[in-house]
Amino acid sequence: MTVTTSPLERFADAYTGATGWHLDPDRRQQDVRCPAHEDRSPSLSVGIGQDGRVLLKCQAECDLASVLAAVGLDEADLFPPREASDRPRIVASYRYPDEVGTLLFTVHRMAPKSFRQQAASGAWSMSGVRRVLYHLPDVVAAVKDGAEVYICEGEKDVDLLVAGGLVATCNPGGAGKWRPEYTASLAGAGRVWVIADDDDPGRTHAAAVAEALRPVVGEVSVWLPAKGSKDISDHLATGHGFDELRLYDPAEASPQSPEEAGGSIERASGDCGDVPWPDPLPLSARLPAFPIERLPGALGGITLAVAATAQTPPDLPAFVGLAVLSAATRGRWEIVVRPGWIEQTALYLAALSDSGTRKTAVNREMGRPLREAQKRLREGHRAQYLEDAAAYRILEARAKAAESAAAKATGEKVATTEAEARGLARKLGETRPPSLFRLLADDVTPEKLADLMAEQGGPMAILSAEGGFLGTLAGRYSDTANVDLVLKAYDCETHQTDRINRFGAEIERPFLTLGLIVQPDVIAEAGKIRAFTDRGLLPRFLFGVPPTTVGTRALDAPDVPTDDAKEWDECVSGILDAAEALAAPVRIQVNAEALGILNGLRAAVEPRLHPDLGDLGRIAAWASKLPGAVVRIAALFALVRDPATSEVQSDDMKAAVGLADYLIAHARAALAMDDHQRDSRQVAMLGWIRRRAGSSGDSGDAFTLRDAWQAIRGRAWAETTADVEAVLGELEELGWIRRRPDPPRRTGRPPSPSYDAHPRLTAGGAQ
């Protein structure tokens, strides 16, 4: 979770730091002690204006300047940035996965304070999306192990308790939104603590939750924070402990029953705890969702927008977006981590996605600023290019004519004609053939790529929704793989080409960006090419293996908002213009605080590289390059913040390091595709079973092998019913389904095997 500081949060931090007193940054109106005079009772009113500014009023008539001076702030600190007050923005994101860790939806906390729910597909509509408890995998494990479970009203409170080592959860939507399926998820728990917010809706909600849980858990109790505290976060922040929570007393408030509350609390029917199934084993494929909240500014906005429009996982636009930023730098910046450690801004990215997943649409929308900039700059330089091209052809013709004249000369003319021919030849050799400005290349051969990079003075980018370039590198048009230039361009190392029947070209500072969306088997095949693995090409790539949204997409999708598209275009153009204004590469320094954050990542990764004991031993070549890749991403985030920046700051590095867990998990999946493909088949089958139960509305129906085959066939791995039956067998071993006994054999064709699904897959499937 990444939090963007609001004016109230900024004031709260300064107030607490200066006085040691608590101020709740989430409460829009509150009274606290004034720091400008000796205040024994709260006399400073703190509120938020309609434009997001902090409003301060001391009842003892201390002026604003005195209050601000006491906490070390200026009046400008009370106001949001101009662009922040124009429209809501995401300040925190909370991911809701299912039992096996697959993302279902995300709850975004906005500023000004509000909440929005977004499906894993990127759509803002929650139609057809299953609702679950927050941190559901941990809740399921706790119920199985008999551990205590704490229920709060909101995600922020939950994360605070989880950070303290407790198992905590809440339902999406806040007070009054409890559903029967949430009760079912907790069925069999030993003890549940419900910690209410200390207001009427909070107490009513907590009472209703406890009432729903009593028939299905061993013990449930409702607790309130200490007097004067709004919620558990406030309770703990003011120095209170768990022993100071107050047991709920009906005389203290009058909670309504669910019926009195208008039926907004759904009640479970029957005995939710009477489930004759053991807990299923988790699937090994639990790849983390892309942490989109880590993406800064315009990059985060356009990623969400394009994911919603194309109805793809956010991984795809995020990867293309990072490639676009890398390409826009044109290799004009170097990142100094410490003396002797310098990184470039080149990135090689590969998102794995099957055909039919709207890869081309994502590539087109995210890459639009680069393509439009290329067109604009080409048109702007066309007249000069035509003049230079004519001058070059004239020089070329003169050199050829002089050479011919020298060859034919006799007598006294030999010396003068030869001197002229040599002079013109030298001048021609020192003159670079003119070329139109170019940012992007397509599916080119390594030789043609070298020519293009030489023409452009080094930089080039390839953004593609196909894997053709990797096939070309592997030797599609030749007998051997040719990866030299691509390896060197990652670190801007000088490259010399020696071509038959033509002059070689030296590229002093080659710089390449690769942003590819490829089918999984492209990477699986690439892993079999020794030049790609032994020489370190694949370890230079960052991988994403997002889930598919095919089969769950809505017929209508929103257009990319004009504001998001404009901000993205301005962001990319700003970096590109800054790059073009630089005559030579400049350096960005990783500051001390950012370096400390990076070193924390390095210290965590290093022991995991051990060939025998480390979980990253199999991909040690890739993982050893991860810190450098994180530095590159942090530098791009810094340039998004300010194209004129001279340093990578702590916030830039925190955001980049926040991608590390995702990148590690997805690299392991991409570079070990056999294991991941098996796991993804299980996930796909479980998804179909859940959707089937939701659409039928009958969670107890069985399904047959024939049903599964009809639904799944057409996928690359489901060529026969035996393929589907093998996956069902794996799920049965894990406890997710149960095969029914075969009926007595009769004459004729035997019936298709039948299966029952675990209640966790079917309960609430229609939600």
Side-chain angles (χ1 to χ4, degrees):
M1 180 185 67
T2 297
V3 178
T4 302
T5 303
S6 68
L8 182 56
E9 290 170 329
R10 184 160 54 240
F11 181 77
D13 289 343
Y15 177 87
T16 301
T19 66
W21 303 329
H22 177 66
L23 189 153
D24 188 347
D26 292 321
R27 192 176 295 182
R28 295 183 64 87
Q29 183 66 45
Q30 56 194 301
D31 292 333
V32 298
R33 285 189 281 178
C34 178
H37 72 277
E38 291 187 8
D39 197 2
R40 297 185 180 276
S41 62
S43 63
L44 179 66
S45 295
V46 182
I48 301 178
Q50 291 184 350
D51 60 354
R53 78 179 73 182
V54 175
L55 304 176
L56 302 175
K57 173 64 176 178
C58 178
Q59 304 303 323
E61 299 186 353
C62 294
D63 59 30
L64 179 62
S66 298
V67 175
L68 291 174
V71 298
L73 293 179
D74 297 322
E75 188 171 353
D77 294 319
L78 301 181
F79 291 81
R82 182 177 301 276
E83 64 274 14
S85 61
D86 290 342
R87 59 189 178 92
R89 68 188 190 283
I90 296 173
V91 295
S93 297
Y94 308 97
R95 297 193 292 275
Y96 278 73
D98 64 11
E99 295 87 344
V100 298
T102 302
L103 181 68
L104 298 174
F105 61 95
T106 301
V107 173
H108 298 291
R109 180 171 166 235
M110 316 295 290
K113 189 175 179 181
S114 62
F115 293 88
R116 293 190 66 185
Q117 297 179 5
Q118 184 182 29
S121 65
W124 292 104
S125 170
M126 290 289 286
S127 176
V129 177
R130 179 189 175 212
R131 272 70 161 188
V132 296
L133 291 173
Y134 191 38
H135 292 313
L136 182 58
D138 295 336
V139 172
V140 170
V143 171
K144 179 180 179 181
D145 296 339
E148 292 180 338
V149 178
Y150 293 76
I151 299 177
C152 305
E153 187 173 311
E155 292 90 354
K156 188 184 77 168
D157 294 336
V158 169
D159 284 346
L160 179 64
L161 297 188
V162 169
L166 302 177
V167 177
T169 188
C170 66
N171 58 272
K177 302 297 183 182
W178 191 262
R179 293 171 175 248
E181 53 266 36
Y182 307 152
T183 302
S185 294
L186 288 160
R191 184 178 185 185
V192 177
W193 297 55
V194 183
I195 304 180
D197 280 11
D198 198 5
D199 52 27
D200 287 341
R203 290 187 292 267
T204 300
H205 173 70
V209 170
E211 184 180 350
L213 290 175
R214 281 194 180 94
V216 301
V217 303
E219 180 184 351
V220 61
S221 54
V222 180
W223 299 81
L224 296 173
K227 285 281 191 180
S229 298
K230 177 181 179 294
D231 52 31
I232 185 63
S233 295
D234 197 7
H235 175 95
L236 296 174
T238 51
H240 295 291
F242 278 87
D243 57 342
E244 296 177 86
L245 290 171
R246 297 175 292 146
L247 188 63
Y248 176 72
D249 182 358
E252 195 169 324
S254 301
Q256 296 172 292
S257 67
E259 292 79 6
E260 293 169 332
S264 61
I265 305 281
E266 300 179 68
R267 301 172 64 91
S269 60
D271 183 2
C272 296
D274 184 19
V275 181
W277 289 72
D279 287 335
L281 297 175
L283 305 187
S284 54
R286 290 188 290 178
L287 294 180
F290 188 87
I292 193 170
E293 69 275 9
R294 300 290 185 178
L295 301 184
L299 176 59
I302 194 65
T303 297
L304 279 174
V306 171
T309 297
Q311 298 189 71
T312 66
D315 315 48
L316 300 187
F319 267 54
V320 180
L322 288 171
V324 168
L325 293 176
S326 171
T329 68
R330 304 278 285 167
R332 298 294 201 274
W333 286 274
E334 294 181 331
I335 312 110
V336 180
V337 184
R338 66 184 185 202
W341 182 2
I342 295 176
E343 294 286 347
Q344 308 298 328
T345 54
L347 286 179
Y348 294 175
L349 303 118
L352 280 57
S353 189
D354 286 315
S355 59
T357 54
R358 299 177 178 166
K359 299 179 294 185
T360 301
V362 169
N363 189 59
R364 180 178 62 249
E365 289 298 327
M366 294 300 296
R368 190 184 303 278
L370 281 185
R371 294 183 177 90
E372 291 181 351
Q374 178 174 268
K375 180 179 179 180
R376 169 173 52 85
L377 291 170
R378 286 168 72 97
E379 290 301 320
H381 292 86
R382 185 173 295 277
Q384 184 64 50
Y385 163 75
L386 293 175
E387 291 182 12
D388 292 344
Y392 186 83
R393 289 193 301 271
I394 291 171
L395 178 60
E396 195 173 32
R398 288 180 58 199
K400 185 176 181 180
E403 185 177 341
S404 177
K408 297 176 182 178
T410 58
E412 296 179 352
K413 294 183 178 181
V414 171
T416 57
T417 55
E418 285 185 355
E420 181 181 8
R422 286 194 298 269
L424 288 172
R426 184 181 302 108
K427 185 176 181 179
L428 181 63
E430 294 171 348
T431 303
R432 176 184 293 177
S435 60
L436 281 172
F437 180 84
R438 188 163 180 176
L439 280 166
L440 300 166
D442 296 316
D443 183 11
V444 295
T445 64
E447 293 76 18
K448 180 59 178 177
L449 178 63
D451 291 344
L452 290 174
M453 295 174 78
E455 290 174 0
Q456 299 299 317
M460 190 53 57
I462 297 176
L463 304 181
S464 176
E466 303 297 338
F469 180 68
L470 291 180
T472 303
L473 283 182
R476 176 185 299 164
Y477 305 117
S478 63
D479 295 331
T480 58
N482 186 352
V483 298
D484 289 352
L485 174 58
V486 179
L487 293 175
K488 292 179 179 178
Y490 185 77
D491 291 313
C492 297
E493 296 179 9
T494 301
H495 180 73
Q496 178 73 45
T497 62
D498 295 305
R499 303 278 297 278
I500 298 175
N501 296 330
R502 61 179 299 172
F503 296 113
E506 181 177 270
I507 310 172
E508 182 177 351
R509 186 177 166 79
F511 174 88
L512 181 63
T513 294
L514 295 178
L516 311 177
I517 307 178
V518 300
Q519 295 191 30
D521 59 357
V522 171
I523 299 302
E525 290 301 314
K528 300 174 183 178
I529 300 172
R530 292 194 62 181
F532 284 12
T533 54
D534 293 356
R535 299 192 60 191
L537 177 59
L538 287 184
R540 284 169 166 79
F541 272 87
L542 300 177
F543 297 97
V545 190
T548 181
T549 59
V550 174
T552 63
R553 298 174 296 197
L555 296 180
D556 297 320
D559 293 333
V560 174
T562 303
D563 287 348
D564 288 320
K566 181 180 178 182
E567 288 180 14
W568 178 233
D569 181 72
E570 290 173 349
C571 172
V572 176
S573 298
I575 294 174
L576 180 59
D577 291 345
E580 288 302 298
L582 296 173
V586 298
R587 292 190 166 185
I588 300 177
Q589 180 71 49
V590 176
N591 71 21
E593 190 175 355
L595 180 58
I597 296 168
L598 175 66
N599 285 339
L601 171 66
R602 296 174 63 206
V605 169
E606 184 61 30
R608 301 175 65 184
L609 303 179
H610 192 283
D612 299 319
L613 304 177
D615 64 316
L616 301 181
R618 288 181 61 190
I619 59 167
W622 179 91
S624 63
K625 295 183 181 296
L626 176 63
V630 167
V631 169
R632 295 173 184 228
I633 294 172
L636 296 180
F637 288 176
L639 291 170
V640 169
R641 170 174 49 79
D642 179 10
T645 189
S646 61
E647 67 175 13
V648 174
Q649 299 177 359
S650 60
D651 286 347
D652 307 320
M653 189 63 73
K654 284 178 184 176
V657 168
L659 301 179
D661 287 344
Y662 170 93
L663 294 172
I664 289 171
H666 285 248
R668 293 174 68 176
L671 297 174
M673 285 306 299
D674 289 343
D675 292 341
H676 177 70
Q677 287 170 351
R678 181 198 67 230
D679 299 336
S680 65
R681 294 165 189 169
Q682 296 171 359
V683 171
M685 187 66 74
L686 289 182
W688 169 75
I689 295 170
R690 179 178 291 119
R691 292 192 298 273
R692 178 182 179 279
S695 62
S696 69
D698 185 354
S699 64
D701 273 359
F703 65 90
T704 66
L705 171 61
R706 187 175 297 111
D707 294 332
W709 159 245
Q710 292 292 337
I712 296 296
R713 70 177 181 176
R715 301 185 184 226
W717 55 268
E719 296 181 354
T720 67
T721 55
D723 296 328
V724 176
E725 189 171 18
V727 177
L728 292 174
E730 294 167 2
L731 293 177
E732 185 175 16
E733 291 180 3
L734 294 171
W736 287 102
I737 61 174
R738 182 180 295 164
R739 181 167 174 168
R740 289 184 171 183
D742 293 334
R745 183 67 181 270
R746 298 187 178 92
T747 58
R749 184 178 180 180
S752 181
S754 296
Y755 300 84
D756 288 310
H758 196 288
R760 284 192 185 152
L761 287 174
T762 57
Q767 301 301 327

